[in-house]
Amino acid sequence: MAFSLVCRHKYFGKDRNLKELYNERHRLALEELVAGGVQSFMRFLQKERIPNFLSDDEIRRISRAAVVPKSLSLIGEDSHLDQSGTLDCSSVTYFPEVSDIEPPVLEMGWPLFTAGSFRGVTRAVAYFQPSYGECIYSCKETARRMIKNAKEVIAIVTDSLTDLDIFQDLKEACTCHRVPVYILLDQSSLPSFLQMCKNLHVQLDELFIQMKIRTITGSTYYMRSGARITGKVHERFMLIDGNRVATGSYRFNWTDGRLNSSNLIELSGQITEKFDEEFRILFAQSLPLPANTRAPSSARSSGLYDHLVLKPPGTPPSYLARTTKPQPECLMSTPARLHTPKIQQMNKDIEDRDRKSNPVSVTSTLGEDWIEQELRGSAHLG
């Protein structure tokens, strides 16, 4: 109870009623649901004479989402303390989760807006689907138009992304127009997204150069027994260039694009600052995709041997600019990696040797024998 009082004064103010913020009987009822099942939950409600605060659908979802901790098997002198296979809710042990891992950075760049900077007059346009105007599927078409007009960044938070047209637009934005794309998917929707990529024969490691896909979940509710219940993400919004937002009930899948009635609100101006902040918070809380969902990056896509590619003598800078991978522009929220003088000198020496070498090739792939000779030459000169 002391912790609840601290939370009340620190976060909610003294004018709030504590009963509206915290309900001990509801918490104990959830303990019974997770530990003993639906019948135990119902008996507790009847005993405490409180109405059922969960619908049948919520009870099923909570029961499926509950994760029971693995009990520690004790040996030796402490073997009599072993409570394996039980959920003793009388424990008052606190199970915090404190991470010492640095939050992920938006390494592909982010529009540079200082806190409180003016982003324009707030405007809103509402779209409904099905529509009875010129465009029947106005929500989907609005989302596609905003993606195609993006110039700096596309940031998406959603619980569904399986619409082929939307995904194709995102691919074109990041591969053809070099617009960074960040996607935060609800963890439960990841299998459907991966299945879509498999059906389209899309290799994720090729997309990861300009598209970052991570997973997120809702809030986590911890029990005294150590069990936890994790919610889902029902936020749906798309941030474009830091000053335009699409949000609403519309989801990026075929059924919402053709069958379900939905709405989409297009926002612009100062209101987008809140969505900018929310996305960066969610991105810091997100997790990378599991290692088994993507193939290892090849030498071609990793850029490991980019500095060894032969260039024809006298190649104009304009040609190199078109054929080499573009560097991030200045409009970034995270600093780019700096090259030390030693690394810059090494790159310069390698380029000088490339110009003086006799063989000339305009291909973008190299044989293994040639690479080994170059590496041995570098080691000898070093």
Side-chain angles (χ1 to χ4, degrees):
M1 188 64 69
F3 175 75
S4 299
L5 291 176
V6 172
C7 290
R8 176 194 179 194
H9 290 289
K10 185 176 180 180
Y11 300 105
F12 303 107
K14 299 180 180 180
D15 55 338
R16 291 289 190 92
N17 188 346
L18 182 59
K19 293 182 179 179
E20 296 178 359
L21 304 174
Y22 180 80
N23 192 313
E24 174 68 9
R25 294 193 298 175
H26 285 183
R27 186 187 64 79
L28 293 175
L30 287 176
E31 298 272 6
E32 293 292 336
L33 175 61
V34 174
V38 179
Q39 296 300 325
S40 179
F41 172 72
M42 292 299 181
R43 285 194 298 267
F44 180 84
L45 295 181
Q46 185 177 7
K47 176 183 176 181
E48 295 295 326
R49 297 181 180 180
I50 57 177
N52 189 351
F53 56 93
L54 295 176
S55 66
D56 292 342
D57 183 56
E58 287 177 310
I59 291 176
R60 287 191 295 268
R61 284 185 292 171
I62 290 176
S63 300
R64 288 195 300 263
V67 178
V68 179
K70 296 181 180 179
S71 301
L72 297 177
S73 297
L74 305 177
I75 58 177
E77 297 179 357
D78 296 329
S79 59
H80 65 283
L81 299 177
D82 186 11
Q83 298 178 351
S84 178
T86 65
L87 275 178
D88 184 8
C89 295
S90 62
S91 171
V92 293
T93 304
Y94 180 49
F95 294 84
E97 283 191 357
V98 179
S99 174
D100 56 356
I101 302 176
E102 291 293 330
V105 296
L106 297 162
E107 70 272 19
M108 296 188 304
W110 194 256
L112 183 59
F113 288 99
T114 58
S117 61
F118 184 65
R119 307 193 187 197
V121 178
T122 298
R123 291 183 171 86
V125 181
Y127 300 92
F128 299 93
Q129 190 171 293
S131 175
Y132 302 99
E134 298 180 357
C135 181
I136 300 177
Y137 308 112
S138 57
C139 293
K140 179 177 179 177
E141 293 305 316
T142 299
R144 298 190 65 184
R145 169 178 55 81
M146 295 179 68
I147 293 173
K148 293 177 181 179
N149 293 336
K151 304 297 182 184
E152 297 179 16
V153 70
I154 301 173
I156 296 176
V157 178
T158 183
D159 58 349
S160 178
L161 179 52
T162 56
D163 188 288
L164 302 184
D165 297 328
I166 296 291
F167 185 67
Q168 182 63 30
D169 292 340
L170 293 173
K171 280 182 54 183
E172 291 181 1
C174 68
T175 57
C176 301
H177 305 291
R178 299 296 180 182
V179 177
V181 177
Y182 298 96
I183 300 176
L184 298 183
L185 280 174
D186 180 78
Q187 196 172 63
S188 62
S189 66
L190 179 60
S192 299
F193 174 79
L194 295 178
Q195 184 62 46
M196 177 197 65
C197 294
K198 182 179 179 180
N199 296 339
L200 296 176
H201 305 288
V202 172
Q203 297 295 330
L204 290 181
D205 59 325
E206 297 177 0
L207 285 179
F208 278 2
I209 300 176
Q210 285 291 107
M211 180 184 290
K212 298 300 178 184
I213 305 170
R214 299 174 68 90
T215 61
I216 51 177
T217 62
S219 301
T220 301
Y221 190 94
Y222 291 94
M223 307 291 183
R224 292 182 302 171
S225 61
R228 68 179 186 272
I229 304 172
T230 301
K232 294 186 177 182
V233 174
H234 284 176
E235 294 186 64
R236 303 185 191 110
F237 67 87
M238 178 173 64
L239 178 67
I240 303 292
D241 298 341
N243 56 13
R244 284 173 293 149
V245 169
T247 184
S249 65
Y250 171 71
R251 307 164 72 200
F252 298 137
N253 55 39
W254 187 89
T255 52
D256 268 28
R258 289 293 185 268
L259 298 179
N260 300 335
S261 62
S262 54
N263 63 75
L264 187 72
I265 309 298
E266 182 179 0
L267 302 172
S268 61
Q270 197 63 31
I271 189 64
T272 59
E273 181 180 17
K274 296 297 183 180
F275 290 91
D276 186 323
E277 179 183 11
E278 175 68 4
F279 184 87
R280 287 184 279 115
I281 291 175
L282 293 176
F283 192 85
Q285 298 172 350
S286 64
L287 296 174
L289 298 187
N292 59 356
T293 60
R294 53 173 298 190
S297 299
S298 60
R300 178 194 292 267
S301 62
S302 65
L304 181 63
Y305 298 113
D306 286 352
H307 63 283
L308 297 178
V309 177
L310 285 175
K311 311 177 195 59
T315 303
S318 60
Y319 175 80
L320 295 177
R322 293 193 301 270
T323 57
T324 56
K325 179 182 176 180
Q327 299 296 323
E329 298 182 359
C330 298
L331 197 58
M332 303 296 175
S333 63
T334 54
R337 295 182 178 178
L338 300 178
H339 294 287
T340 62
K342 183 177 180 180
I343 295 178
Q344 292 177 350
Q345 184 62 37
M346 291 175 59
N347 292 337
K348 183 177 180 181
D349 294 341
I350 293 173
E351 291 179 359
D352 292 340
R353 290 200 307 274
D354 290 344
R355 297 193 194 96
K356 295 178 182 179
S357 57
N358 292 328
V360 176
S361 173
V362 296
T363 59
S364 60
T365 58
L366 302 174
E368 294 182 357
D369 295 339
W370 191 90
I371 294 176
E372 293 178 357
Q373 294 176 7
E374 283 293 313
L375 295 176
R376 286 198 297 268
S378 301
H380 178 72
L381 292 176

